[in-house]
Amino acid sequence: MTETSDPGGSPGTWALEAYGLGKRYRRGWALRDCSFRLPAGRICGLVGPNGAGKSTLLGLASRQVVATQGELRMFGMPVGDPGVMPRFAFLGQDKPMFKRFTVAETLRMGGELNPGWDGAAAERIVRSGDVPMNASVGTLSGGQRTRVALALAFGKRPDLLLLDEPMADLDPLARDEMSTLLMAEAVERGTTVVMSSHIVAELEDMCDYLLVVADGRIRMAGDADALVPAHALVTGLAEDGGLPAALTRHTVIETRVQGRQFQAMVRLDGTLSGDWQVAEPSLEEVLLAHLRSPDAPPLYTPGARTETEGTRTA
């Protein structure tokens, strides 16, 4: 995937840029004060619990939702600009398609609705999964429907592909097959992908960039290979039933004390000095610690935030 070397970047460098982005419904804020950058050409995992604001963020990016505050830009243009329409494709978990249409009719409709349609690529994606072109969409299996939906998305030749848990209803075999297809197509075309998912292993294998959302706010954003090593899992003897004083100069995300022993997820500020066991945590351990600790300061890798004041970087 393409790496952005200039944190400032030119407008085309960034697939998405959010500036104080927020969306309020009657029940309250679904998303608030979100500022981040996503470099073009990356595969980004959008992570967070149910109700965190992931679908709202994807809805804002796909123009299905209008922001209450702030701004979201796509490849340098406001998402409200008609010029962004050919540049993105959106695929939701429900994968809405006409069930009575055959696969061939569905692809033909994609060609009629999209001026830059790549019919050869869409048909190749379908045929590589042995999906019958004359079969009605309503008769297809979950994996086959997902393949047809991805064919529609890639047939549009988007620069940005937005995926809202597209593989949540698939069995492990079909999910693995679709993940491989998605990766291959995205890498071949240089497509930027934003994919929300609850399956951490899926994100760890596919994604080189992360956006972590909780309570409607960004908790972490940036390069996956920098976010995880910025943390350490520290185990040792507790002092007076709590953390040793020497450890508190680091940013403690989460701590657990059992008897005389503590275990802490720590964001490192320099080197650790103490008689402790130190291990690099897994992506899942880092994500869960941040999601369980909403008061911990957010973490951004360099260039991942549009507004840097008061922000800690990895």
Side-chain angles (χ1 to χ4, degrees):
M1 288 293 132
T2 302
E3 187 94 18
T4 300
S5 57
D6 177 11
S10 62
T13 300
W14 310 105
L16 289 175
E17 298 170 88
Y19 298 85
L21 188 66
K23 176 61 182 178
R24 182 184 177 93
Y25 296 101
R26 287 187 178 181
R27 65 182 183 274
W29 290 94
L31 204 67
R32 193 168 192 179
D33 298 329
C34 289
S35 298
F36 66 87
R37 282 191 177 113
L38 169 61
R42 308 298 287 271
I43 296 183
C44 174
L46 180 58
V47 192
N50 290 331
K54 302 188 303 297
S55 293
T56 298
L57 179 56
L58 289 173
L60 289 163
S62 58
R63 297 166 50 107
Q64 300 175 76
V65 177
V66 178
T68 305
Q69 66 178 22
E71 182 185 15
L72 183 63
R73 301 179 71 86
M74 184 182 298
F75 297 105
M77 295 183 289
V79 292
D81 190 317
V84 308
M85 289 296 292
R87 304 202 67 176
F88 77 89
F90 172 79
L91 177 58
Q93 184 176 342
D94 53 353
K95 308 175 192 69
M97 293 181 286
F98 292 105
K99 294 183 178 179
R100 295 185 179 180
F101 278 24
T102 65
V103 174
E105 290 169 339
T106 300
L107 297 187
R108 191 177 310 126
M109 179 184 67
E112 293 174 356
L113 294 176
N114 296 285
W117 181 252
D118 187 344
E123 187 170 331
R124 172 175 52 79
I125 292 172
V126 169
R127 291 191 182 279
S128 65
D130 295 324
V131 180
M133 296 294 288
N134 61 350
S136 298
V137 169
T139 66
L140 301 179
S141 67
Q144 289 175 324
R145 283 196 303 274
T146 299
R147 181 176 285 274
V148 174
L150 285 173
L152 286 172
F154 278 112
K156 187 179 179 180
R157 299 188 67 86
D159 297 311
L160 173 63
L161 181 57
L162 304 166
L163 304 172
D164 192 0
E165 303 221 33
M167 293 178 274
D169 59 342
L170 302 183
D171 61 64
L173 183 61
R175 188 183 300 120
D176 180 70
E177 182 184 358
M178 291 302 102
S179 298
T180 301
L181 168 65
L182 175 61
M183 285 285 290
E185 292 293 332
V187 170
E188 180 179 341
R189 298 163 178 263
T191 307
T192 308
V193 178
V194 179
M195 181 178 70
S196 70
S197 176
H198 284 104
I199 304 171
V200 176
E202 184 175 82
L203 298 174
E204 196 163 15
D205 291 340
M206 297 178 61
C207 301
D208 58 6
Y209 207 84
L210 290 174
L211 286 174
V212 181
V213 186
D215 298 324
R217 299 175 186 269
I218 300 293
R219 306 299 310 146
M220 290 197 298
D223 297 275
D225 60 2
L227 288 170
V228 174
H231 298 80
L233 198 58
V234 184
T235 305
L237 292 177
E239 293 181 1
D240 298 324
L243 288 180
L247 197 59
T248 58
R249 75 180 185 87
H250 302 276
T251 303
V252 179
I253 306 301
E254 182 183 47
T255 182
R256 298 177 181 181
V257 178
Q258 292 183 332
R260 298 180 57 196
Q261 191 174 63
F262 76 87
Q263 185 177 74
M265 180 69 69
V266 178
R267 189 182 300 162
L268 301 177
D269 292 308
T271 58
L272 286 168
S273 57
D275 188 19
W276 307 315
Q277 293 181 354
V278 181
E280 182 173 317
S282 66
L283 172 61
E284 183 172 17
E285 288 171 326
V286 171
L287 291 177
L288 290 176
H290 276 268
L291 294 176
R292 286 192 295 252
S293 307
D295 294 332
L299 176 64
Y300 295 77
T301 61
R305 179 161 180 164
T306 51
E307 300 165 3
T308 58
E309 183 178 352
T311 302
R312 167 69 193 274
T313 59

